[in-house]
Amino acid sequence: MLAREVLQELIQVLGAENVLTEQEDLMTYAYDATAAMKHHKPDVVVSPNSTEQVAEVVKIAAKNNIPIYPRGSGTNLSGGTIPISGGIVLSMLNLNKIIEVDQDNLTATVQPGVIIQTLNDEVVKHGLLYPPDPGTVKTATMGGSLSECSGGLRGLKYGVTKHYIMGLQIVLANGEVIRWGGKTVKNVTGYDLVALFTGAEGTLGIITEIIVKLIPAPEARKSILAVFDDVDKAGKAIASIIRNKIIPATLEIMDNVTIQTVENFVHAGLPMDAQAVLLIEVDGYKEVVEREAVLVEQILQEEQAVEIKIAKNDQERDLLWLARRRALPALAQKRPTTVLEDATVPRSKIPDMIKAIRKIAEKHNLQIATFGHAGDGNLHPTILTDERDEDEMKRVHLAVDEIFKTAISLGGTLSGEHGIGIAKMGYLDWEFGEAGVAAMRRMKEALDPNYLLNPGKIVRRD
Amino acid sequence: MSVYNSLDSITEELHNCMKCGNCMEVCPIYKETRQEVGVARGKISLVQYLLSGELEMTEKLADRFSLCTTCMACNTNCPCGVRFDKIILAARAEAVRKKGLHPVKKIAFTALKMQRMFDFGMKTGSIFQGMALKHVPHKSDRIARMRFDIGIGTDKVFPMLASRTLRSEFPEVVKVKNPKMRVAFFTGCMINYFYTDIGKAVVEVLKENDIEVVIPKGQGCCGIPASVNGDVHSAAALAKRNLRAFEKLGADALVVACSSGGTAWKHVFGELLDNEPEFKALADKWAGKSYDISEFLIKKVPFKKEGLGRVERKVTYHDPCHLNRGQGVNTEPREILKSIPGVELIEMKEPGRCCGMAGSFSLVHPDLSVQISDRKTADIELTHTDTVATGCPACRLQLKSGVENAGIEEEVVHTIQILAESYKNGKKK
Ligand SMILES: Cc1cc2nc3c(=O)[nH]c(=O)nc-3n(C[C@H](O)[C@H](O)[C@H](O)COP(=O)(O)OP(=O)(O)OC[C@H]3O[C@@H](n4cnc5c(N)ncnc54)[C@H](O)[C@@H]3O)c2cc1C
Ligand code: SF4
Ligand code: SF4
C-alpha cells in the first residue's frame, strides 16, 4: 500500500480521474499477454497526459522509493508489464497523439501511446509506410513495441523496430527529461542512447516521444505459397532464394503440426501430410515484383516443392494468407494455454531447429507446433498445454529450457522479438556469460541506481 | 446449465482467454476510456479473480461489469473463440444474485414486468410528457429533449410516445385476401409505444406479400433489458408470458423488427427456461421459426419485386450489434435496400461499430454512451447521405439523438420503412 500522502501528491499532479486506486481496477493491471505467469496487483495505476506529468510522477516515485511499471497495451509476451513489486503502473495510453508527419524528411513524431496501425493509417495517406508489423499492430503501442524492439512479418527485408527509431524524448529515473537523436539520417554525437533505450523494456527510462523513420510504401506485391514433403527441402529453398539475391518482404514457414491444426480449423486447402509450407511475398516496383515472382517460382521448382500457388489478385492473396493468419488462433483454440516462444537462429539453421523442436516435443510428450519468420530465423515454437495441469507444465518448462539451449548452440539467441522481461531473465548467462550479465547490470545501475524502473525485468539485482 | 444460473457454466470459456488483448482493437468502451477494465480481457480477469476468491462480489465489482454494451465485437475478434457475451451475462446474473439490481434499472424493469401499469404510465405519459419533454420540431420523427436532467443529461433526444400504441391500432389478426402464410409479429416495446411507424411498415409489407399477420394482444416486453443486466427472474417471467401469448394464436413463423426481440426469441428464451422442460420445448419450437423481418423477406418468403416504386434516397446502413453479430443478419437488409429503385446505398466507415445505446447502458453510463455515439455520428456525416437505415428501434433512437445534436440533416428509419415506402410509391402511379 502507498502512503496516503503519496496518493494525494499523484492526484494533485494528474487529477483524480487519472489515478486508479480501487482494487477492482488495480487487478486488471496485474497481468499482460504472457501465458502461465503469476499476476501481481499494483498499488496504483496512473495515466499521465504530458511529458511533464510523467516527469512529476517519476520524481514522486523517486522521492518515496516506489517502483514504476510502464505499460502500453500490455500485449508483450515476456511478463514485461507485470508489477511484480507492486507500486505504480504508469499507463502511457493517454499520450496518444501523432505530433507530426514530415514528408520532406520522411519521419513521423509520435507520442508513445499511439497504436502502430493508427500511425500507419495516417502515413499511408502520404504514400508512406512504417514497416514494423508485429502480430499486434492493431493493438500494441509505439512505446511498447519500441521497448520490446518488436519485429513482425517484414523483418527479412525491412528490419525490425530498432531500424526505424531516429530520436527519443526520455524521462530518466531521476525525473530529468532528455532528448536524443532527431530527424537526421546521420548522427554520431555521443553514445547512441536511442539504440540503447530501444528494446530496454522500460528498465532504463520512460519514453515520452518518438521520432521514427518512414519509407515510401511499395507499389506492388505478390504472394507465393509452396508446399514441401520434407523440412530440409524447405530449408534449402529458403537458402536458395536468398543466395539468388532475392530478398522477399516476408518468408514464413509452418511445420506439419501447425499445418494439420490450421487445416482442421479453417480448411484452407493445405495437404495434411505436408512437412512444411513456405509463404513468400515479394514487394516493390511492379516490374521488379513480376520478375522476382517468376524467379522465386523457378527456385521453388528446382528445390522440389510439391505444390506452388501464386496469387493473381488481392482476393487470392488473402486466401493464401488465410492459413498463416489463422495459425495462432487455430493453435490457441486447441488447448487453453498457449506458450509462444521466439527463440531465433541463423536462417540456415531453420531445418535443424524445426527438427530439434520436434524431438523435444516427443521427448516430453508435448504438442509443439512451429511456425514463424523463416526468412529471419525467428521461429515461434508454440506449446499447447493447460496451465491447470501441473505435471504437464513441469514438462513444458523443461522443453522451453531445451529449446533455448538448442537455439544458442545453433548460434542463435533466446529471443528474437518478444523480449526478456521476467520470462527469460534466468537464461541470460547462457548467452552472455556472467561477465556479460554483470556488464548489463552496471548499465542499469548507471541509469537507474535504485532499481525503480520496471524492477525485476531483464536484469536481476545483485 | 445456462449462463443465467451459475458462474460455473463459463469456467471453460474463461480459461480459453489467452489475454492476447486482441479485443482492445474493437471494444467501443475501451476506445473511449483506454482503461483495461473497459475491455473484455479486463472483465474476464475480474471474473477469474472472483472465482479464485481473490476478489469478492462488491457493488464496485458489479459496477465494472456494467461497463459493456454487449456489442459482441470482442467475440468476433477473439482468436481463441471466447464467447464474451456469455461471460458478461453470467457475471451480471451473479452480481444480481449477490448484490441486487442497480437502482436505476430496478425501477425500469419492475415497470416492464407490470405490463398494465406500463401501458397506463405510457398512455398518461403521452398526454403528460409535455411537462418533462420539450418537443423538437422535425419533419419526420416526433422527437423531444428532456426539459430537466433526471441523471441522463438533457441532450438526449427521445422519440415522443405515440398517441396510440401499435397493438391498439390493429386487430389481433390482420387478414389478407388469399393468405399464403400466417405470420406472428412480435412488436417489442419500442415499436409498440414509440416507433409505431416501424410496426405499421412491417404490417404493410407483409400484407403486400399476401401474408396474414397475427399480433397477439397478450405479448409483452422481450425481457432482454432484464436478462442482460442479470435480472433473470423478471426475464424468465416475461419469456413465459410471451410464449403463452403466441402459442395461443399460433402461426407458421414469427417475425421481429428489433434486434433484442430477435435475440430473445432465437436464443434467450430457451436459455432462460432451461430448467423448465415444458417451456423449454415451447421456446425451442418458436426459436426454430423466428426471423428478423429482413431475414424473413430474403430467406423465407422472398419479397415481391414487382410493384416497387422509386424512393429517392441516399442511404447508409448501420448494423445493429445483436442483429449483425448476434444473429448473423447483415447482407439481408442491404439486399433489400439495393433492390429498391432510386435508393443509393453508401457504406459508412465501420457500419458494424456499436452505436453506444445498448439499452440501459445509456442510462447508467450516459457520458460514455454519448462519446461512443459521437464517433458513429461522425462516420455517418462523412457519407453525405440523407437517410440512415438500421434494423433496430433502439439504434434508431441513439442514431437520431446523435445526428440531431450534431445538427446534421439526416432521417433515421428502419429498413422496412423504406421498403414500405417503395411499395406505397409503386401504387401512386
Ligand atoms: C497475439 C500476439 C502476437 C504477437 N506478435 C508479435 C510479433 O509478430 N512480433 C513481435 O515482435 N512481437 C509480437 N508480440 C509481442 C509484442 O512484444 C507486443 O505485442 C508489443 O511489442 C508490445 O506493445 P504494448 O504496447 O502492448 O507494450 P506493453 O506490453 O504494454 O509493454 C511492453 C514493454 O514496454 C515497456 N513500455 C511500454 N511503454 C513504454 C514507454 N512509453 N516507455 C518505456 N517503457 C515502456 C513496458 O514496461 C514493457 O516492458 C505479439 C503479442 C501477442 C499477444
Ligand atoms: S481477444 Fe479473446 S483471448 Fe484475447 S484477450 Fe480478448 S477475450 Fe481473451
Ligand atoms: S461486448 Fe463490446 S463493449 Fe462489451 S467488452 Fe466486448 S467489445 Fe467491449
Side-chain angles (χ1 to χ4, degrees), chain B residues 16-23 40-41 44 74 77-80 82:
Chain B
N16 288 337
C17 169
M18 66 166 178
K19 305 285 183 325
C20 67
N22 272 17
C23 39
R41 181 172 74 165
I44 286 174
C74 48
N77 213 45
C78 176
C80 302
V82 173

Side-chain angles (χ1 to χ4, degrees), chain B residues 15-72:
Chain B
H15 270 291
N16 288 337
C17 169
M18 66 166 178
K19 305 285 183 325
C20 67
N22 272 17
C23 39
M24 290 186 287
E25 184 195 339
V26 292
C27 177
I29 295 190
Y30 180 78
K31 284 257 152 82
E32 301 304 329
T33 64
R34 293 182 292 280
Q35 289 180 359
E36 186 78 23
V37 77
V39 77
R41 181 172 74 165
K43 280 164 291 208
I44 286 174
S45 58
L46 288 180
V47 183
Q48 287 172 331
Y49 300 139
L50 185 63
L51 280 170
S52 68
E54 283 166 274
L55 282 178
E56 277 173 40
M57 182 57 87
T58 56
E59 310 254 327
K60 284 178 184 158
L61 192 58
D63 264 358
R64 303 311 190 272
F65 292 141
S66 78
L67 275 173
C68 172
T69 70
T70 66
C71 72
M72 300 169 84

Side-chain angles (χ1 to χ4, degrees), chain B residues 101-114 118 189 221 225-226 229 231 234 238 359-360 363:
Chain B
L101 208 53
H102 189 288
V104 178
K105 294 176 192 161
K106 199 179 224 152
I107 303 168
F109 303 153
T110 315
L112 287 182
K113 253 194 298 184
M114 298 166 66
F118 193 44
C189 297
C221 168
N229 289 298
D231 184 358
S234 308
L238 289 164
S360 53
L363 297 180

Side-chain angles (χ1 to χ4, degrees), chain A residues 374-407:
Chain A
D376 53 36
N378 180 203
L379 289 178
H380 291 308
T382 302
I383 311 180
L384 310 181
T385 177
D386 190 335
E387 219 179 330
R388 293 165 290 185
D389 185 337
E390 269 179 46
D391 171 62
E392 187 168 323
M393 286 311 287
K394 265 191 214 131
R395 285 181 278 130
V396 169
H397 291 302
L398 289 175
V400 168
D401 286 1
E402 285 176 31
I403 290 174
F404 288 159
K405 265 200 194 112
T406 313

Side-chain angles (χ1 to χ4, degrees), chain A residues 33 70-77 80-81 92 112 133-136 140-141 143-145 147-148 150-152 201-202 205-207 328 373 380 417-418 454, chain B residues 18 20 22:
Chain A
R71 183 181 172 106
S73 297
T75 65
N76 76 87
L77 295 169
T81 44
M92 304 303 286
D133 61 342
T136 43
T141 63
S145 57
S147 299
E148 297 289 355
S150 294
E201 301 185 24
I206 315 292
I207 312 299
L328 188 58
H373 322 304
H380 291 308
E417 53 179 18
H418 293 168
N454 213 357
Chain B
M18 66 166 178
C20 67
N22 272 17

Side-chain angles (χ1 to χ4, degrees), chain A residues 85-106:
Chain A
S85 310
I88 301 172
V89 162
L90 183 68
S91 168
M92 304 303 286
L93 294 175
N94 283 354
L95 290 168
N96 62 352
K97 275 177 218 56
I98 296 173
I99 297 166
E100 179 198 48
V101 176
D102 181 342
Q103 294 188 68
D104 296 332
N105 290 304
L106 293 186

